[in-house]
Amino acid sequence: MADTKRLAFSIIQFLHDQLNSGGLSSDAQESLEVAIQCLETAFGVSTDDHSLAVTQTLPELFAAATIKPETPQVMINAVPDSPTEEEAAEAERLKTEGNDQMKVENFSAAVEFYSKAIEINPRNAVYFCNRAAAYSKLGNYAGAVQDCEQAIAIDPNYSKAYGRMGLALASLNKHTEAVSYYKKALELDPENETYKSNLKIAEQKMKEMPSPTGGMGGVDLAGLLSNPGFMNMVRSQN
């Protein structure tokens, strides 16, 4: 039952995000509001019960459950040994090249250099975090989120990865989630003024969010519930 409530909570959170995104007709908005009320009543859950929250949003879980098996995490697990000194040095050179491209705002080239560094040493959180920054500059916020997740998986104490995750989520109008990542970044780096400023902005955006009024976004909830990979991922979230 706990897994079912967690899934219901995630669905309700998703519906709220869709409502807040706007752009739907009044009839569609009303239908979603009714759907949220029905789910809350049927499963006895509330969006205020944060103990039911999982680490990924519903669209992220769905994407992870439906993509092909070849993911960055698999790539890391498949690498049997650490890179040699020569390989590590080459990866660092490629990272530096990527940094130089970022300075001249050639973000696509930066992504290519960081990606090559990751191919050589996929256990380096900095490379993923730097590529996340480049992705964000290109407007690929979903890619930035994925790379930040990877960086955090490699190094859970990497404050910059949490800060950049917050920026990417805020750019996706996921201000509630952004706040949690900014707070974690500040736990790890309490004196960072940028994190403090971004946290205040995200908290203000949360306050300015309108009452639920938006739509389903075309996601097939029935398909989600019948996808065994997706359900397994929901159960594994804590």
Side-chain angles (χ1 to χ4, degrees):
M1 186 62 180
D3 287 339
T4 302
K5 283 196 170 188
R6 189 173 287 120
L7 175 56
F9 180 90
S10 295
I11 293 172
I12 292 168
Q13 280 286 98
F14 167 73
L15 296 181
H16 271 299
D17 289 342
Q18 293 300 305
L19 284 169
N20 291 332
S21 69
L24 294 183
S25 67
S26 58
D27 287 342
Q29 294 169 6
E30 183 177 357
S31 295
L32 277 190
E33 290 172 347
V34 171
I36 290 171
Q37 292 172 4
C38 290
L39 285 170
E40 289 178 335
T41 301
F43 293 96
V45 299
S46 167
T47 52
D48 294 329
D49 189 359
H50 296 292
S51 65
L52 296 174
V54 297
T55 57
Q56 292 177 281
T57 65
L58 196 65
E60 288 166 356
L61 285 169
F62 178 75
T66 55
I67 60 176
K68 295 180 180 179
E70 187 178 352
T71 64
Q73 183 64 50
V74 172
M75 178 179 65
I76 288 173
N77 293 336
V79 177
D81 301 309
S82 298
T84 64
E85 287 188 16
E86 292 78 9
E87 289 172 335
E90 175 63 9
E92 280 295 299
R93 185 190 70 78
L94 290 165
K95 182 203 74 173
T96 300
E97 291 280 359
N99 292 348
D100 290 341
Q101 294 300 318
M102 289 290 286
K103 292 175 184 177
V104 297
E105 300 186 358
N106 192 351
F107 305 122
S108 295
V111 166
E112 292 181 13
F113 280 113
Y114 294 140
S115 296
K116 290 177 181 177
I118 289 168
E119 287 178 14
I120 296 172
N121 184 8
R123 291 193 177 97
N124 191 305
V126 173
Y127 302 162
F128 283 100
C129 194
N130 285 9
R131 190 171 69 175
Y135 276 147
S136 287
K137 290 292 187 179
L138 291 168
N140 182 3
Y141 303 117
V145 166
Q146 188 174 30
D147 271 2
C148 286
E149 287 174 345
Q150 193 63 43
I152 291 168
I154 295 169
D155 183 359
N157 295 316
Y158 188 17
S159 63
K160 187 174 288 186
Y162 291 95
R164 286 184 176 163
M165 174 73 95
L167 285 172
L169 290 169
S171 297
L172 292 169
N173 292 320
K174 297 180 179 181
H175 302 295
T176 301
E177 295 170 59
V179 164
S180 67
Y181 280 96
Y182 287 140
K183 287 181 177 178
K184 180 63 178 178
L186 278 170
E187 285 180 21
L188 297 168
D189 188 2
E191 302 305 317
N192 190 300
E193 294 300 325
T194 299
Y195 299 158
K196 292 178 183 179
S197 175
N198 288 343
L199 174 59
K200 288 181 180 179
I201 292 171
E203 288 176 334
Q204 183 60 37
K205 291 289 186 181
M206 284 177 60
K207 294 177 182 178
E208 295 173 357
M209 287 173 68
S211 299
T213 53
M216 286 294 297
V219 172
D220 179 6
L221 293 180
L224 288 179
L225 297 175
S226 63
N227 185 308
F230 172 75
M231 293 301 294
N232 286 336
M233 292 190 68
V234 171
R235 295 190 186 99
S236 68
Q237 300 297 310
N238 292 310

